[in-house]
Amino acid sequence: MQASLRRRSFVGGGLGLATAGLAAHAHAAGAATIKLRLLETSDLHMFVYDYDYYHERRDATVGLSKVASLIAQARAQGPNSMLFDNGDIIQGSPLGDMLAQPGTLKPGEIHPMFAAMNTLGYDAATLGNHEFNYGLPYMDHAIAGANFPFVCANLARIDGTFYLPPTMVITRNFKAEDGSEHALRIGVIGFLPPQIMVWDRSNLEGKVTTTDIVTAARAQIPALRAQCDVLVALCHSGIDTRPAASGFENAAYHLAGVPGIDVIFTGHSHRVFPGPDYDGRPGVDALRGTLAGVPAVMPGFWGSHLGIIDLSLQKSADGGWKVADFKVEARPTYRREKGQVISLVEPNTAITAAAAPAHQATIEWMRQPVGEVKFPLNSYFSLLGSDAAVGLVNDAQVWYARKLLAGTEYAGLPLLAAAAPFKAGGTGPDSFIDIAPGPVALREVADLYVFANTLVAVKRTGAEVAEWLEKSAGQFNQIDPAKAGPQKLLNTSVPTYNFDVISGLTYEIDLTQPSRYQGNDPKPRPYRRIVNLRFEGQPIDPAREFVVVTNNYRSDGGGGFPGLDGSRVVLRAPDLNRDAIVSYLRAMGTLRNKPVATWSFAEPLQKVTLAFRSAARLEALLDGRSDITRVGLDADGYTEYQLALG
Ligand code: MN
Ligand code: MG
């Protein structure tokens, strides 16, 4: 295991932190050396412009347009380069949702994301899990517009044939250091998380199947290796060093253990590698950028970074090429300093021009008014107790499902709804919702419900509803009431989109208890945090049946909630949850009353101080609350606060 790195060694240095010297290796005179630069974009998620459609303002933290400028710089620094994309391309921003509206993209029309990417000369790409969110026909149309090939080795049609070529070999002439030219064969293989069969069950079941990433690699790599000089794996999957299990979601580390791979491009986890997020994991060099010794990179998300792997290739005696040295870098498009975003590169106008009509259409589309809400909707307090934003989503879900369930055998069951605060600081100090009282536009509803999920209702007993809430309560750390001084409230390894709040009930969360569910372990532990769980004012009957309205991600297994595996579904709606909210607001006209409160923290026996980080804006909204105090700024640009409980 490598020595642990201190965090400041990453933070202080800025660019070029992985510092293995390219020129360090001397070699025999006459042996050709090729310096080959491999570039990666990943998880672009339809962020073409450096633009925030929710707030109609530029956003220096996103955009292929900015990465494109880094690509141009990186290419200018040497004669030989190749460019790859690692998936999660066509979904994730309002631009993606606008284009996916039925009838928007005309037959044969090139999808604007690919019109933009086509200007950059990509060599190959692989699919991410989000490519499937709008269904296979839409994905097929979109990727048909790419002027570069896609590979994927673990996705098959139901008849067993590969959906896309599993691998390919690109032959390219490169210039050696001595000026000589050499034709090199670059082998490319692609992988996606097999979990797409769960996350997009309704789009994929009966149409395609997936294979475990490492299994697919073992099947394909020996033959590919025999045909190429350099083997590049495009792995839309993150880095998890726990012992491998079949079907691992984040398999890049275990993929590195399959012999024959020279370079792994990773992604999916929306993190940066090399970097401190992966410091101290066995087999991972988080400074140099290797997984089990194999050079690897992960370029953040939404266009935050460009992944760069520089290879120094040497011709060996047998005529083949081998990697003599390498250097890995995740090069950022911006940095944060004292809470400010500082852009490090200007957007490339060829990229924005390629998507300009769609960009304008998205801004117009997002402006359409849908209703009026007389109270503020924000997510600054969503992890501290009941809030109106999550409550409104739940009220809309119940309103929508009640109509569709009327006249069915489920109409008589009490209706509950589950929703999570999607944007509650998880992706940065600016990633909160903040909607002022007044008319509500589609852009604000899209901000409130950022994911393109579809509405699903499931049958649950009272006991199962309690387990659902116990899983949600893993959002928080255990608090020791005997301990003096502030204790960290939030378990940041749990994304806030997995903090489901269930409306139609009231309950408290007892932070002094350990979490009943830990990590991905499906087994409950002998603790309970959910206390005083009531339905219609009475303790919930564990045997009573309920219908719970949620989304397809949750109902089909997303987040690993107990018993939620796609079964006992009573309603699969044709609409997005977001569209249910739009319909609700249109039908209501004006909403005057805040949704009914559902949950709070249980009062501990002693006073405790809880530390959490949020946006600077929270302080301005305290409205006389004296239990929350501002502490200061942290290194990531968040504002630190303390909450007094008890
Ligand atoms: Mn992604
Ligand atoms: Mg992904």
Side-chain angles (χ1 to χ4, degrees):
M1 192 203 266
Q2 62 157 103
S4 183
L5 303 160
R6 280 164 303 168
R7 189 177 176 89
R8 65 182 165 83
S9 64
F10 293 100
V11 176
L15 306 182
L17 293 165
T19 51
L22 271 183
H25 288 237
H27 54 83
T33 298
I34 291 175
K35 290 186 176 175
L36 174 58
R37 170 162 274 187
L38 301 173
L39 304 172
E40 181 203 14
T41 56
S42 187
D43 297 273
L44 292 171
H45 285 284
M46 286 308 295
F47 285 90
V48 180
Y49 277 67
D50 54 332
Y51 195 77
D52 172 350
Y53 295 97
Y54 306 110
H55 302 104
E56 294 199 14
R57 64 189 179 206
R58 285 184 71 180
D59 179 354
T61 70
V62 302
L64 174 64
S65 57
K66 294 188 68 195
V67 185
S69 299
L70 287 188
I71 291 169
Q73 286 175 10
R75 282 172 164 165
Q77 289 166 344
N80 308 312
S81 69
M82 296 180 81
L83 175 62
F84 302 92
D85 186 85
N86 227 33
D88 277 4
I89 302 169
I90 63 173
Q91 181 277 341
S93 83
L95 178 61
D97 287 332
M98 189 281 295
L99 290 164
Q101 296 294 298
T104 303
L105 213 54
K106 303 297 175 220
E109 184 182 346
I110 292 186
H111 188 288
M113 184 64 174
F114 291 103
M117 292 175 81
N118 286 350
T119 67
L120 289 170
Y122 277 89
D123 289 286
T126 196
L127 300 172
N129 50 299
H130 283 288
E131 262 63 77
F132 303 87
N133 291 166
Y134 305 125
L136 287 167
Y138 183 84
M139 179 185 87
D140 290 343
H141 179 163
I143 68 173
N147 66 3
F148 47 90
F150 276 80
V151 289
C152 185
N154 65 332
L155 178 69
R157 292 174 203 281
I158 211 73
D159 65 8
T161 59
F162 283 106
Y163 199 86
L164 292 165
T167 65
M168 64 178 299
V169 178
I170 302 167
T171 303
R172 185 71 49 84
N173 281 337
F174 295 119
K175 195 170 248 163
E177 294 295 280
D178 62 8
S180 57
E181 287 228 350
H182 303 264
L184 259 64
R185 300 161 305 161
I186 311 300
V188 186
I189 185 168
F191 306 98
L192 50 68
Q195 282 73 12
I196 62 167
M197 297 308 300
V198 171
W199 298 330
D200 268 306
R201 188 189 301 265
S202 53
N203 287 327
L204 301 181
E205 205 164 46
K207 295 170 184 150
V208 295
T209 58
T210 55
T211 315
D212 170 65
I213 290 173
V214 172
T215 305
R218 289 195 192 284
Q220 294 291 330
I221 283 181
L224 180 61
R225 182 76 254 182
Q227 301 169 58
C228 69
D229 300 301
V230 177
L231 199 156
V232 178
L234 308 180
C235 180
H236 186 87
S237 182
I239 301 162
D240 188 340
T241 53
R242 291 174 298 178
S246 187
F248 230 35
E249 176 183 345
N250 292 305
Y253 172 76
H254 291 291
L255 178 64
V258 178
I261 302 174
D262 291 311
V263 162
I264 299 179
F265 288 128
T266 76
H268 180 59
S269 302
H270 292 196
R271 292 180 185 272
V272 177
F273 183 81
D277 283 358
Y278 294 98
D279 183 16
R281 301 203 193 186
V284 174
D285 189 331
L287 188 57
R288 196 175 184 213
T290 61
L291 305 175
V294 178
V297 71
M298 192 188 309
F301 60 101
W302 303 349
S304 66
H305 293 72
L306 175 67
I308 303 175
I309 298 184
D310 286 325
L311 298 179
S312 183
L313 299 165
Q314 253 179 277
K315 194 156 192 169
S316 54
D318 63 6
W321 294 84
K322 68 173 181 25
V323 177
D325 203 356
F326 61 87
K327 182 183 166 194
V328 181
E329 179 187 342
R331 189 175 287 182
T333 60
Y334 72 97
R335 64 185 164 83
R336 291 186 190 273
E337 198 173 284
K338 298 191 177 78
Q340 298 298 308
V341 171
I342 297 166
S343 184
L344 300 173
V345 67
E346 283 304 305
N348 172 322
T349 53
I351 295 292
T352 49
H359 172 68
Q360 276 311 320
T362 302
I363 292 171
E364 296 301 322
W365 181 65
M366 293 283 278
R367 278 180 186 164
Q368 59 181 291
V370 296
E372 187 169 6
V373 178
K374 292 288 197 187
F375 43 88
L377 299 169
N378 65 64
S379 59
Y380 303 117
F381 302 91
S382 299
L383 302 174
L384 307 177
S386 261
D387 77 291
V390 170
L392 187 150
V393 172
N394 274 339
D395 286 354
Q397 294 186 143
V398 166
W399 174 86
Y400 177 95
R402 195 181 300 286
K403 287 189 299 175
L404 293 192
L405 290 172
T408 73
E409 58 181 301
Y410 309 108
L413 297 178
L415 203 47
L416 311 175
F422 293 151
K423 284 178 78 171
T427 58
D430 307 316
S431 73
F432 291 85
I433 60 158
D434 191 350
I435 303 166
V440 174
L442 179 59
R443 66 181 176 84
E444 290 162 318
V445 179
D447 205 20
L448 184 61
Y449 207 104
V450 286
F451 294 115
N453 295 326
T454 51
L455 187 138
V456 177
V458 294
K459 202 157 81 168
R460 298 279 100 180
T461 64
E464 291 167 332
V465 166
E467 295 297 330
W468 189 327
L469 290 170
E470 291 287 356
K471 177 71 179 176
S472 275
Q475 181 70 223
F476 305 108
N477 293 322
Q478 186 186 2
I479 300 304
D480 179 357
K483 217 156 100 183
Q487 301 178 56
K488 279 199 167 143
L489 173 63
L490 302 176
N491 176 359
T492 49
S493 72
V494 178
T496 66
Y497 59 74
N498 281 336
F499 179 59
D500 273 358
V501 170
I502 300 188
S503 295
L505 305 168
T506 54
Y507 55 95
E508 294 171 6
I509 297 177
D510 182 355
L511 297 171
T512 66
Q513 295 302 306
S515 181
R516 183 165 173 81
Y517 293 94
Q518 202 171 33
N520 297 328
D521 190 347
K523 277 218 318 284
R525 307 190 301 161
Y527 313 109
R528 289 199 180 268
R529 285 179 160 179
I530 302 300
V531 296
N532 209 8
L533 175 59
R534 289 170 181 268
F535 173 66
E536 293 180 338
Q538 300 301 314
I540 198 166
D541 175 355
R544 182 157 186 184
E545 287 194 317
F546 296 85
V547 170
V548 187
V549 193
T550 178
N551 59 46
N552 65 305
Y553 172 79
R554 182 71 74 241
S555 70
D556 294 352
F561 277 59
L564 290 169
D565 58 1
S567 64
R568 292 162 66 200
V569 167
V570 302
L571 170 68
R572 276 190 193 276
D575 290 325
L576 303 178
N577 298 69
R578 184 192 302 145
D579 294 334
I581 302 167
V582 168
S583 302
Y584 174 69
L585 291 173
R586 286 198 167 127
M588 293 297 128
T590 301
L591 280 182
R592 295 175 192 284
N593 301 321
K594 278 190 191 180
V596 175
T598 53
W599 76 276
S600 59
F601 292 127
E603 295 275 312
L605 295 175
Q606 285 106 319
K607 283 192 191 314
V608 292
T609 304
L610 306 173
F612 67 98
R613 59 186 205 170
S614 187
R617 168 95 171 124
L618 180 146
E619 197 182 15
L621 299 168
L622 283 175
D623 195 22
R625 269 183 87 156
S626 58
D627 57 335
I628 297 176
T629 47
R630 182 183 182 279
V631 178
L633 273 180
D634 79 0
D636 299 324
Y638 290 87
T639 304
E640 296 176 318
Y641 295 92
Q642 289 179 357
L643 169 70
L645 197 63

